[in-house]
Each structure stands twice: as structure tokens, then as C-alpha cells.
């Protein structure tokens, strides 16, 4: 029996592994116990708590609301045990797990991650869209998430860490490239490289252009700021991105009047505030 076993109830540790995989066979294998034994542990835990912890949807297992809360608690307990044991052994600070989209990781928080890494802090990254990043935080799989646009809900703590103007990206030879600023009406008739339908940035852009009476054509649909800019560099069409996005030679970024700034939020559960404090300090004030 190691230190972690002493610090954690066996049933709670087993449920944490099950909640991570949502699969009895995989969880039992990781725990080095039989599948029937794992069933018994979780059934006894549910009985003791007086709640259902999971339900079946065909072959798929999903956690109930109570199961989600217990999973987050179990993962917190597991991490706190690991952190305490590292302190006893005089090891480095615990690994910080961050969930964020590709664009945020590259252009919004990339430098902050680099700085905290130079301080000796290990960082584990989960690449995820907004919904998946928030789910990773609420489930306990991530310590902190970075999401764009609207602030997260009240079940988590959050702080705005950045805000960027939206810019029109096009070839340096285009007539609009010499402007200090363009209006939405100036985009009339343009071929645009845009995210796929349904993405938050695409929905907001569709709505703004429609309200302004702008006629435009879809030149290509790709996911991610880097691919939007890449296709613009290939001459496929102009694109609209956040002002933080780096551009290759031959492209110009012109601020767009009439589109709101895109805000970025760091969000975490209150229980993980001590773990994420160092990274929050690196973000500094809102940009």
C-alpha cells in the first residue's frame, strides 16, 4: 500500500478512474481488479451515498449530475494527495492541466505557458473547443480552461485575460490593405475564408454581415485561425480573425469597425485556485 492508498478511500479512487473512462472494462484494467469487483465497489458507493452515479444510454455510460459532482470531488482528492506526497518528497510543483483551443494556446496564452515552464512548472495541455474545455474543468480533468466570447457560467470562477479587435486579413496588394480601418460595408462582394457553419466565430460573423446588408461568398471553410490565415496567404480569399493572430509575409491586417472585440476568459473551479494561481499571475492584466 502506497501513500496515495492511505490518503484516498478505495471506492472513491475507483470511481475517479471509472468516471475518467466511462467504461468498466478499461477502468478495471487500469485499477488491476476484475470488472465484477469494480461494479461492486461503485454500487456500494452509490448505495452509501443514496444516489445514482451513472446511467446507461444504449451501450454508452453517462454520469448523472450527482456522478459528475462526485467525479470532480474524487479527482480533486486524488490530485491533492499527489501534490501532498510531492511536497513530502521535496518534488516540484504539481503538473498544471490546461484546456483551450488551438488559437488560444498559440496566440493568447502561449507566452504565459512558456514563462511558467521556465520556472520549473510542468504543464499538460488538452486541446479542446469551448464546450469541451469547460467540461474538462467542471469534471476535474483540467485545472484551468481558456475560452473565448461570453464569460463562463456561475458554477466556475473566471477572469478576463485578453481582448482583441477583429481584423480583415488580405493580400498586401488589395486596395483595402492600405486602409487604417474598414467598415463592414467594405467587405461587400468579398470572397471570405471562414470557419465551418455552427462555430461561434462563424455564427457571429454571419449575423454581423447579414445585419449590415453585406453580400459575400464562401471561398473556403476551415477550422482554426492558422488555417484561415494560411488559405488567405495562398490567395483563396480574405478572412476575418482576431488581432492577436500572427501573419506571414505578404498579408495585411486591417481593423474592422462594427465588429466587437473578442474576449478571452480563464476559468477554474474554486477548489483548484491554489493550483492555477501561478498561471493567473502570468496572464497579468487584461490585454
Amino acid at each position: 500500500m502506497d501513500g496515495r492508498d492511505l490518503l484516498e478511500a478505495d471506492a472513491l479512487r475507483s470511481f475517479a478512474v471509472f468516471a475518467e473512462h466511462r467504461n468498466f472494462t478499461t477502468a478495471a484494467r487500469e485499477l488491476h481488479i476484475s470488472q465484477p469487483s469494480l461494479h461492486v465497489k461503485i454500487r456500494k458507493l452509490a448505495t452509501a451515498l443514496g444516489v445514482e452515479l451513472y446511467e446507461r444510454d444504449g451501450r454508452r455510460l453517462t454520469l448523472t449530475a450527482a456522478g459528475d459532482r462526485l467525479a470532480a470531488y474524487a479527482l480533486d482528492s486524488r490530485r491533492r494527495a499527489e501534490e501532498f506526497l510531492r511536497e513530502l518528497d521535496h518534488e516540484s510543483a504539481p503538473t498544471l492541466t490546461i484546456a483551450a483551443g488551438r488559437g488560444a494556446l498559440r496566440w493568447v496564452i502561449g507566452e504565459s505557458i512558456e514563462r511558467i515552464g521556465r520556472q520549473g512548472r510542468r504543464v499538460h495541455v488538452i486541446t479542446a473547443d469551448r464546450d469541451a474545455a469547460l467540461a474538462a474543468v467542471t469534471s476535474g480533468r483540467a485545472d484551468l480552461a481558456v475560452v473565448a466570447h461570453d464569460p463562463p457560467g456561475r458554477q466556475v470562477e473566471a477572469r478576463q485575460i485578453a481582448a482583441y479587435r477583429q481584423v480583415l486579413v488580405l493580400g498586401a496588394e488589395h486596395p483595402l490593405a492600405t486602409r487604417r480601418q474598414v467598415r463592414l460595408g467594405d467587405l461587400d462582394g468579398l470572397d471570405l475564408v471562414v470557419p465551418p457553419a455552427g462555430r461561434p466565430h462563424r455564427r457571429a460573423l454571419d449575423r454581423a454581415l447579414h445585419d449590415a446588408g453585406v453580400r459575400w461568398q464562401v471561398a473556403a471553410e476551415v477550422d482554426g485561425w492558422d488555417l484561415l490565415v494560411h488559405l488567405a496567404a495562398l490567395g483563396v480569399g480574405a478572412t476575418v480573425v482576431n488581432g492577436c493572430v500572427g501573419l506571414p509575409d505578404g498579408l495585411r491586417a486591417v481593423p474592422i469597425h462594427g465588429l466587437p472585440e473578442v474576449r478571452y476568459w480563464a476559468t477554474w473551479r474554486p477548489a483548484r485556485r491554489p493550483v492555477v494561481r501561478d498561471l493567473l499571475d502570468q496572464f497579468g492584466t487584461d490585454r
Side-chain angles (χ1 to χ4, degrees), residues 21-153:
H21 296 290
R22 308 291 205 276
N23 182 283
F24 277 101
T25 302
T26 304
R29 185 183 305 118
E30 181 172 327
L31 290 165
H32 304 291
I33 61 176
S34 69
Q35 187 173 328
S37 295
L38 180 58
H39 273 282
V40 170
K41 288 177 184 290
I42 293 178
R43 185 169 65 249
K44 286 183 177 179
L45 183 60
T47 300
L49 295 173
V51 294
E52 295 294 330
L53 297 176
Y54 69 92
E55 55 192 10
R56 292 186 178 274
D57 181 8
R59 293 187 176 182
R60 184 167 168 262
L61 298 180
T62 59
L63 298 182
T64 62
D68 278 328
R69 293 179 62 186
L70 181 62
Y73 173 77
L75 287 170
D76 277 345
S77 298
R78 189 178 183 183
R79 287 182 175 181
R80 283 196 296 267
E82 292 171 347
E83 292 158 13
F84 177 71
L85 291 172
R86 286 193 184 97
E87 290 178 5
L88 288 180
D89 291 336
H90 305 289
E91 293 184 10
S92 59
T95 298
L96 178 65
T97 301
I98 303 171
R102 294 188 331 194
L105 288 169
R106 183 170 182 182
W107 285 295
V108 180
I109 62 172
E111 292 181 0
S112 298
I113 291 175
E114 182 183 16
R115 286 195 297 269
I116 200 169
R118 287 201 299 265
Q119 296 172 4
R121 188 74 177 273
R122 294 183 61 187
V123 175
H124 173 67
V125 171
I126 300 173
T127 306
D129 62 18
R130 178 188 174 91
D131 290 343
L134 290 175
V137 166
T138 57
S139 69
R141 292 189 300 110
D143 300 305
L144 179 139
V146 174
V147 297
H149 302 290
D150 298 328

